[in-house]
Amino acid sequence: MKRDVMADRGAQNTPTSGESLLFLTDEQLRRGIEAMFFAYRGFTADPDRILENYAYGRAHHRAIHFINRSPGTTVNNLLAILGVTKQSLNRVLRTLVQDGLVDSRVGTRDKRERHLYLTEAGVNLERELSEAQRVRMRAAYRAAGPEAVSGFRTVLEQMMDPELKHHYIATTECTK
Amino acid sequence: MKRDVMADRGAQNTPTSGESLLFLTDEQLRRGIEAMFFAYRGFTADPDRILENYAYGRAHHRAIHFINRSPGTTVNNLLAILGVTKQSLNRVLRTLVQDGLVDSRVGTRDKRERHLYLTEAGVNLERELSEAQRVRMRAAYRAAGPEAVSGFRTVLEQMMDPELKHHYIATTECTK
DNA sequence: AGCTTATGTCAGCCTTGTTGACTTTCCAAG
DNA sequence: CTTGGAAAGTCAACAAGGCTGACATAAGCT
């Protein structure tokens, strides 16, 4: 029983590697998997607490974040980034517009499109949320140091789905 | 108002640092935040696809993972790790026991406790799920290299809630 | 004997995801 | 100019998986 597990642990290192790839053992990978799990919990904990006061959820936070990141983005663009259905996103956007946090303006060039902007109230909530998140991220970065941060981002980028990666990359590459 | 944002961006580097803390700019932090968002999506994508075939969700995956990690764990211990209510966990465990993936045995020392074990079928599903996740993690690790992996784990550990961190640490420290 | 703990369960609610069907608006190609 | 299709919005229904509150049972502890 227990020995099966240990057998797995011992057999995963294919003979292709000598011993320089100890960081690729199944045990190391499992540690990484759990690190992602626990860290993501911490990562979302602060915004979640704040959102409770506004009767909003993570879905609202995501919308607010990406509208703030690229003001004037269209609904379709947001759909591609968030990877949810338009019905799901629309429900969130509707409440945000109703509550006066998001401004939805009909496109000038293509009037079918709606361009999304944060209102002043929206900007305020975005700042409250992202500042809480930045506080934690800043503490983690500071404690870990620049080299660790570089490695952190490198691994995370490798973990992204290639089709979704450009949403992350595009942020600083092309201002467009 | 808008100037506050710019003021923030400019002022976030406290004078305590000269210029060695460029990795702590708000822009760098935002990149880190989005990296977490997109990477977590990739991180869960493969298991999610597999779970659809079994009509299970992420909640089942989490339970299976941690029961596999520490066989014989109690319900209360699992509750502490997962951070959900017992009703929520119980709903998941019930289906897993009914479906013959998890074995729930009354404790010998304390008969109030239930000790949880994966059945053979449970082990098989766990392996299918974790192998998919390991494939992605392994690829990311391999592409990023050992130093990056070290930094990755360091930052993630810093990001965890201190009260939850021991669930991660305890994994390899004490076999108990 | 009585309090506490561990677990399970029922009922109901919320958020956030899904699908399917339908409408309106409007660009663009025939 | 008309029509096809894309973009967006809406309604309805449903499911997963969180939550709370209340309650039951069994078992350990004092």
Side-chain angles (χ1 to χ4, degrees):
Chain A
M1 269 289 167
K2 285 176 195 162
R3 263 145 290 88
D4 288 348
V5 179
M6 299 313 287
D8 275 342
R9 298 254 165 85
Q12 96 298 70
N13 246 347
T14 60
T16 56
S17 69
E19 66 264 67
S20 69
L21 296 183
L22 286 181
F23 69 112
L24 286 173
T25 61
D26 278 10
E27 174 60 20
Q28 289 296 313
L29 295 168
R30 193 189 58 72
R31 298 271 296 171
I33 287 168
E34 292 197 7
M36 279 295 285
F37 171 73
F38 287 116
Y40 199 78
R41 287 261 297 276
F43 172 70
T44 55
D46 304 318
D48 284 354
R49 259 190 297 275
I50 293 170
L51 289 159
E52 278 181 13
N53 307 330
Y54 298 86
Y56 288 147
R58 242 178 247 183
H60 301 85
H61 183 191
R62 289 194 281 262
I64 288 174
H65 173 94
F66 285 105
I67 294 173
N68 177 72
R69 190 191 75 169
S70 10
T73 185
T74 64
V75 173
N76 247 5
N77 186 31
L78 216 47
L79 282 178
I81 291 176
L82 297 177
V84 298
T85 59
K86 64 175 177 175
Q87 293 91 332
S88 212
L89 175 58
N90 200 258
R91 178 170 39 199
V92 167
L93 285 179
R94 202 187 316 151
T95 70
L96 290 175
V97 169
Q98 281 172 357
D99 296 353
L101 299 183
V102 167
D103 196 8
S104 171
R105 304 181 201 158
V106 172
T108 53
R109 222 185 41 197
D110 185 338
K111 294 177 190 166
R112 291 169 303 180
E113 297 178 340
R114 307 300 149 98
H115 297 271
L116 304 169
Y117 301 87
L118 292 187
T119 65
E120 197 179 313
V123 169
N124 287 339
L125 178 54
E126 194 285 329
R127 198 163 324 170
E128 186 180 354
L129 292 169
S130 66
E131 184 50 31
Q133 220 156 16
R134 275 197 298 271
V135 164
R136 184 184 291 256
M137 186 76 68
R138 198 179 291 125
Y141 274 20
R142 202 187 298 271
E147 295 87 4
V149 168
S150 168
F152 164 73
R153 287 251 299 268
T154 301
V155 173
L156 288 189
E157 282 176 33
Q158 292 296 328
M159 217 174 303
M160 296 177 196
D161 256 332
E163 311 97 55
L164 301 170
K165 208 165 172 178
H166 72 275
H167 293 301
Y168 171 74
I169 300 294
T171 306
T172 39
E173 304 301 275
C174 48
T175 322
K176 176 65 193 310
Chain B
M1 271 297 161
K2 285 176 197 164
R3 264 148 290 91
D4 286 351
V5 179
M6 301 312 288
D8 276 344
R9 295 258 163 79
Q12 98 291 72
N13 249 346
T14 58
T16 56
S17 69
E19 65 264 70
S20 68
L21 297 183
L22 286 181
F23 70 112
L24 286 173
T25 62
D26 277 10
E27 174 61 19
Q28 290 297 316
L29 295 168
R30 193 188 60 71
R31 298 272 294 171
I33 288 168
E34 292 197 8
M36 277 296 283
F37 171 73
F38 287 116
Y40 199 77
R41 288 261 298 275
F43 171 70
T44 55
D46 303 317
D48 284 354
R49 258 189 298 275
I50 293 170
L51 288 159
E52 276 180 15
N53 307 330
Y54 298 87
Y56 288 147
R58 240 176 248 183
H60 302 84
H61 183 191
R62 289 195 281 262
I64 288 173
H65 172 94
F66 285 104
I67 293 173
N68 177 70
R69 189 191 76 169
S70 10
T73 185
T74 64
V75 173
N76 247 3
N77 186 31
L78 215 48
L79 282 177
I81 291 176
L82 298 176
V84 297
T85 59
K86 65 172 179 174
Q87 293 91 330
S88 218
L89 175 58
N90 200 258
R91 179 170 38 198
V92 167
L93 284 180
R94 204 187 315 152
T95 70
L96 290 176
V97 169
Q98 281 171 357
D99 296 354
L101 299 182
V102 168
D103 196 6
S104 171
R105 303 181 202 160
V106 172
T108 52
R109 223 185 38 199
D110 185 338
K111 293 178 190 166
R112 291 171 304 179
E113 296 178 339
R114 308 298 151 96
H115 297 271
L116 304 169
Y117 300 86
L118 292 187
T119 64
E120 198 179 314
V123 169
N124 287 339
L125 178 54
E126 195 284 331
R127 201 163 318 175
E128 185 180 356
L129 291 168
S130 66
E131 185 48 32
Q133 219 157 16
R134 274 196 299 269
V135 164
R136 185 184 290 257
M137 186 76 69
R138 199 180 289 126
Y141 273 21
R142 201 186 300 269
E147 295 86 5
V149 168
S150 168
F152 163 73
R153 287 252 298 269
T154 301
V155 173
L156 288 189
E157 281 177 33
Q158 292 296 328
M159 215 174 305
M160 296 177 195
D161 256 332
E163 311 96 56
L164 302 170
K165 208 165 172 177
H166 72 278
H167 293 302
Y168 170 73
I169 300 294
T171 306
T172 39
E173 305 299 276
C174 47
T175 323
K176 173 63 194 308

